Each structure stands twice: as structure tokens, then as C-alpha cells.
Amino acid sequence: MSVTMYRNKVQGLEKEIANIEKDIGKEQEKLAKALKTIQSTKSTSILNSKQRELISTQKKIGDLKGKKANKIKSLNQALDQLRRSEDRELKKYKTAELRHTKAITDELKKQQRISQEISANPISINFESLPEKINVLFLASNPNDQSSLRLDQEIRLIQEKIRASEYRDSINLQSRWAVRSNDILQAINEVKPHIIHFSGHGSQDHDIVLETTEGSTSLLSKEAVTLLMKTMSDSIKLVIFNNCFSSGQAEAVTEHIDCAIGMNEAVYDDAAREFAAQFYSAIAFGKSVQNAFEQGKLALIFAGLEGEEIPELYTRTGLKPNEIILVKPAL
């Protein structure tokens, strides 16, 4: 039983005991009236009646007191169970807090190590080659026959993080909703994105879940996604597959684009939002893809959300993610 169930049990027993005490009080009032009548009456019939009533009332009071004693015994047992359950919950909470603290410490040490490595090996980046503004294409699909996702909250949080960043004017975020497979080519041709962001569901076979014209599920295979990136890779530098079981897609597309991020298993909706928002925040501050990726995972730890080990970062052979910067800083 949970702590809540034990608390409810304790409250229920306390209420039962209070009701028994009220009943005992009522019977004691009846007993007092009967005694008073016995002391004052001279009628034999009334006396006999009140004596019988007196005996019956005394028995009821005895039964009620016995019932109260049993309830008190049960209450004490329930209180003991509640205390033990609360102790277990407290122990679990402390253990989780320790794990959380360790995860934060380990991630901070990792960030420090990466910073030291970067300092020891300065990166030479040609900022002049970066575009003045990068285009981000947010592709959202949530078919009617799938579990509901709050994709609107994801893009809203991303927009808020970008607006609060140093180089917010360097990012142009555009979105397409209820995306069907034949919408993607049109959207890429229109936006000419440097980053493509898939938001929604993914299948365990590494398919992207899109929609049909009727709003039901349509699957885009890993092979189709890879061919898409091969065909449309002119401007695309990064693809984010912010859906479940998408690491296979991310790894495959880096044959044709610089880098990609995917999820190695199912990811919770809130964790996907938190990771993406912090990733774009770091990108919009001029950080490298590697640093933005690490910040996204760190954001999950700080928020107390599970899944910091789920995002995976892949890069094209020969490229280093800590040397890939997408947003041109103001020089």
C-alpha cells in the first residue's frame, strides 16, 4: 500500500472512533436519565421497565467500548504501517536525490573536461563562411490514432528560448503542422532549412510517424529519410529527430549531412521538449553543436526529468561536433 492509502486508512479509523464515542455519549445520556427515573419513581411497572432499559443500555455501552478498543488497536497498527511507509518513501526520495546530485556532478565534470580539451586544442572556425541567418524547419505530426502529444508546447518553449538568446535575430524558425510525406519536399524547397526538426512519434522500426490526408498514421522509413537527405542536402547541416526510436535514422543520414540527433529509445513528451528547448538556446548563443547537445542533456538533469541518456549525437565521418557552429556570432 502507498503512503496515501495508509493515510486514508488512518483517517477512516479516526472517524469511526469519533462516531463510536458519540454513540457512547448518547447511551450514557440514556443511562443517566434511566437512573434518575429509577431514583424518583414509585411505580413498580416504570421501575421494572427502567431497570430493563438500564441493563440494555449498560450492555450497549460495554459493546461500544469494546468496539472502540478494537478500532484503537487497528488505528495503532495503521499508524505504525503509515510510519514505516513514510520512512520507506523518505529513503527512496533521498536515494533519488543522491542519484540526481551525482548525475549533475558527473555531467558538470564532463562539461569541464570538454572545455579543458577545447582550451588545450583551440578550434579554428571560419565564421565568415556562416550564413547571416539560419533557417529552422519544424515539422510536426500527431495522427489521430496515436497518443496525443503537446507539440505546440514544444515549439512555444523553443521560441521562448531563442527569443531570450544573444543571437536571436540570427535564427528564422518556421513550422509545418499535420505533416504528410508529400509536404516535406515542398517545405524544404520553400524554407531552405539549415536545421530540420522532426517532432512527434517514432516507431520501433525507426520509422517517422507522419499523417495521411484523413489524419491517420503514415510511416516514413529510415531508408526514405536517408534518401530525402541525400537529395535535399544542399543547405541542411543538422537534422533533429525528436521522436522515439530515431537514433537509427540519425546515424544513417550523417552519410549525407554534417550531423544529426536521434533518440535511442522511447522518450517522454516533457523530456523531449526540455532537451530541444535548451539545445536551441545554446545554438542561438553561438555554441557548438556538441556544447548545445550536452546542455540539452544537462537541462533534463536539472529539471529532474529521466532520459538524459536517450539523445544520441552523430556526425559525418571526419567532422567533430565541437567544431560545428551554426549561428554566426556578432564580431
Side-chain angles (χ1 to χ4, degrees):
M1 290 175 66
S2 66
V3 170
T4 301
M5 293 175 69
Y6 281 123
R7 284 176 182 160
N8 290 339
K9 184 177 180 180
V10 167
Q11 291 172 357
L13 287 167
E14 288 175 337
K15 186 175 180 181
E16 289 180 29
I17 291 170
N19 290 334
I20 292 172
E21 288 176 342
K22 287 181 183 178
D23 291 341
I24 291 174
K26 291 177 183 178
E27 294 301 322
Q28 286 175 335
E29 287 179 5
K30 288 170 61 177
L31 183 64
K33 289 179 181 179
L35 285 170
K36 187 175 180 181
T37 302
I38 288 172
Q39 291 170 355
S40 61
T41 187
K42 294 181 179 179
S43 169
T44 302
S45 60
I46 293 175
L47 182 62
N48 290 336
S49 174
K50 289 300 176 181
Q51 285 177 335
R52 287 193 297 273
E53 183 182 336
L54 184 67
I55 294 169
S56 175
T57 303
Q58 287 174 329
K59 185 178 184 305
K60 284 184 180 179
I61 291 173
D63 291 342
L64 287 169
K65 286 183 176 180
K67 186 177 180 181
K68 177 183 174 182
N70 289 332
K71 292 295 180 182
I72 289 173
K73 183 179 178 181
S74 297
L75 175 61
N76 288 332
Q77 291 175 345
L79 285 169
D80 186 54
Q81 290 170 332
L82 175 60
R83 282 191 292 269
R84 290 200 300 270
S85 181
E86 288 175 335
D87 288 343
R88 286 194 298 270
E89 286 296 313
L90 181 60
K91 186 177 180 181
K92 284 169 60 178
Y93 173 78
K94 288 181 176 179
T95 301
E97 280 294 296
L98 286 172
R99 282 200 301 266
H100 186 212
T101 302
K102 184 179 184 301
I104 291 175
T105 302
D106 291 346
E107 190 64 29
L108 288 173
K109 287 180 179 178
K110 181 179 179 181
Q111 292 286 345
Q112 185 179 23
R113 187 172 64 254
I114 291 172
S115 298
Q116 289 171 345
E117 290 174 357
I118 292 174
S119 299
N121 302 282
I123 299 169
S124 178
I125 297 174
N126 182 11
F127 291 109
E128 293 300 323
S129 65
L130 297 177
E132 294 297 326
K133 179 174 287 191
I134 67 167
N135 298 321
V136 179
L137 177 59
F138 184 95
L139 300 172
S141 293
N142 190 17
N144 297 328
D145 53 2
Q146 298 283 337
S147 60
S148 179
L149 300 173
R150 293 304 308 272
L151 306 184
D152 56 332
Q153 289 187 2
E154 181 177 343
I155 194 168
R156 179 179 61 79
L157 193 56
I158 291 171
Q159 288 170 329
E160 289 176 356
K161 289 287 190 178
I162 291 175
R163 281 197 296 267
S165 68
E166 185 175 2
Y167 306 124
R168 55 184 172 274
D169 295 331
S170 296
I171 296 182
N172 171 36
L173 175 61
Q174 295 194 37
S175 61
R176 300 291 187 272
W177 297 85
V179 173
R180 298 165 297 180
S181 57
N182 57 3
D183 295 330
I184 297 178
L185 293 176
Q186 179 69 24
I188 294 175
N189 285 331
E190 288 176 357
V191 178
K192 297 178 178 59
H194 301 88
I195 299 176
I196 295 180
H197 182 114
F198 288 98
S199 180
H201 293 281
S203 77
Q204 293 190 28
D205 295 325
H206 304 285
D207 301 317
I208 294 177
V209 174
L210 300 177
E211 299 189 25
T212 64
T213 53
E214 294 79 23
S216 58
T217 293
S218 172
L219 299 178
L220 188 66
S221 69
K222 180 178 73 175
E223 291 74 21
V225 174
T226 304
L227 181 59
L228 172 69
M229 296 305 151
K230 178 181 179 180
T231 306
M232 310 296 288
S233 62
D234 289 349
S235 64
I236 302 167
K237 300 296 182 184
L238 166 67
V239 180
I240 299 176
F241 298 94
N242 205 23
N243 38 32
C244 302
F245 309 108
S246 54
S247 59
Q249 295 164 344
E251 185 176 14
V253 300
T254 53
E255 182 180 347
H256 308 292
I257 61 169
D258 290 351
C259 49
I261 293 172
M263 305 297 160
N264 58 36
E265 59 178 87
V267 58
Y268 288 114
D269 201 10
D270 53 356
R273 288 196 299 268
E274 197 71 30
F275 171 82
Q278 187 55 45
F279 177 87
Y280 283 104
S281 174
I283 288 294
F285 272 102
K287 302 298 182 182
S288 70
V289 170
Q290 176 73 62
N291 186 268
F293 176 76
E294 298 297 340
Q295 284 195 33
K297 295 200 296 180
L298 192 59
L300 297 184
I301 296 173
F302 283 168
L305 297 173
E306 296 181 358
E308 74 275 3
E309 75 289 350
I310 294 177
E312 300 279 2
L313 172 61
Y314 300 91
T315 55
R316 192 201 300 258
T317 303
L319 295 181
K320 297 179 181 179
N322 65 317
E323 297 181 357
I324 301 174
I325 293 178
L326 301 174
V327 170
K328 185 176 185 178
L331 300 175

